[in-house]
């Protein structure tokens, strides 16, 4: 079996964005795309795009650009998207329920094969077409479905215990939405998504720009 090329993590994140853009172009019937157009749609500069794609080997044709379907499939292969990925989600509060009900994951190769919550009030409810299960069934579902990705959307105080349960069950990759740093065994990858931190960064950047400019309305007033 051919080994995948070693690609920097930051580049992998951008490749995922290129894949999203290319998939959208392919769905719209586009056959080719220039490096400038692809870079602009992905929010990077053309030189950075070409450097990222150099990890994949020769991709485009000078003066023509990239074949949309070919580049999409090559990036999908490098990212391991040839087959669907089974995921489990723990924590069906507002955020967890929104994640479970989002249809965009399925079109990108990710399927929630199990939804879990410790609250008896939530167990048995249907979210996103699946019934919420008790935590006691986590190991059984992970084993039966061969789920390798776990998503944590619980309160911070229980997130580490959930992480321990997931890794013990055999999950090798965790996406953590709880606002706390997790400790996982060697060989388990953890990605942190803290929405409050992202908002704080935006607040800082907004403050750095200074007061917003006054906008005049057509009537001559101030907005």
């Amino acid at each position: 079996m051919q080994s995948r090329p070693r690609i920097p993590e930051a580049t992998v994140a951008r490749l995922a964005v290129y894949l999203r853009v290319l998939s959208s172009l392919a769905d719209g019937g586009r056959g080719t795309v220039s490096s400038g157009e692809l870079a602009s749609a992905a929010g990077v500069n053309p030189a950075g795009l070409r450097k990222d794609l150099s990890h994949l080997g020769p991709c485009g044709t000078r003066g023509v650009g990239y074949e949309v379907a070919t580049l999409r499939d090559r990036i999908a292969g490098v990212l391991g998207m040839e087959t669907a990925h089974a995921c489990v989600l723990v924590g069906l509060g507002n955020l967890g329920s929104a994640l479970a009900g989002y249809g965009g994951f399925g079109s990108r190769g990710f399927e929630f094969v199990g939804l879990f919550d410790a609250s008896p009030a939530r167990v048995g409810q249907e979210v996103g077409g699946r019934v919420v299960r008790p935590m006691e069934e986590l190991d059984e579902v992970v084993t039966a479905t061969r789920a390798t990705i776990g998503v944590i959307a619980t309160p911070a105080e229980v997130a580490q215990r959930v992480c321990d349960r997931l890794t013990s069950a055999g999950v090798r990759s965790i996406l953590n939405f709880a606002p706390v740093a997790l400790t996982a065994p060697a060989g388990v990858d953890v990605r942190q998504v803290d929405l409050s931190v992202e908002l704080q960064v935006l607040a800082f950047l907004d403050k750095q720009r200074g007061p917003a400019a006054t906008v005049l309305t057509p009537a001559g007033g101030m907005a």
Side-chain angles (χ1 to χ4, degrees):
M1 181 170 153
Q2 185 179 6
S3 61
R4 299 189 188 279
R6 295 182 65 85
I7 301 176
E9 186 173 319
T11 301
V12 171
R14 290 190 293 272
L15 287 176
V17 176
Y18 305 151
L19 178 59
R20 183 188 66 202
V21 173
L22 289 164
S23 296
S24 178
L25 290 173
D27 290 343
R30 284 288 297 276
T32 61
V33 62
S34 68
S35 60
E37 184 180 2
L38 180 55
S40 176
V44 302
N45 62 65
L49 169 76
R50 290 190 289 269
K51 182 178 179 181
D52 289 340
L53 296 183
S54 69
H55 291 281
L56 312 182
C59 293
T61 302
R62 184 180 295 275
V64 176
Y66 304 100
E67 292 186 4
V68 170
T70 300
L71 184 57
R72 177 201 60 192
D73 294 345
R74 183 175 295 188
I75 294 176
V78 169
L79 295 180
M81 303 306 299
E82 306 98 324
T83 58
H85 294 266
C87 311
V88 293
L89 187 153
V90 181
L92 272 296
N94 292 333
L95 177 58
S97 296
L99 293 171
Y102 176 59
F105 294 131
S107 64
R108 288 173 171 79
F110 299 95
E111 179 187 2
F112 283 122
V113 295
L115 308 177
F116 300 89
D117 201 283
S119 170
R122 293 194 178 111
V123 171
Q125 293 182 354
E126 185 173 304
V127 181
R130 290 197 172 273
V131 175
V132 180
R133 298 169 176 257
M135 289 297 294
E136 290 76 16
E137 297 181 12
L138 177 65
D139 289 35
E140 176 187 350
V141 172
V142 170
T143 300
T145 61
R146 298 183 179 179
T148 59
I149 299 176
V151 179
I152 298 177
T154 65
E157 58 269 21
V158 299
Q160 183 61 58
R161 292 201 298 274
V162 171
C163 177
D164 295 341
R165 287 286 306 274
L166 287 169
T167 57
S168 176
V171 168
R172 302 195 304 267
S173 302
I174 292 175
L175 182 61
N176 177 37
F177 283 91
V180 62
L182 300 178
T183 301
V188 175
D189 297 310
V190 178
R191 299 282 295 181
Q192 179 75 33
V193 181
D194 192 328
L195 300 178
S196 63
V197 169
E198 299 302 324
L199 288 172
Q200 288 165 353
V201 170
L202 288 175
F204 169 78
L205 295 174
D206 185 60
K207 182 179 179 180
Q208 291 294 100
R209 283 193 294 267
T214 301
V215 179
L216 296 179
T217 66
M222 290 187 298

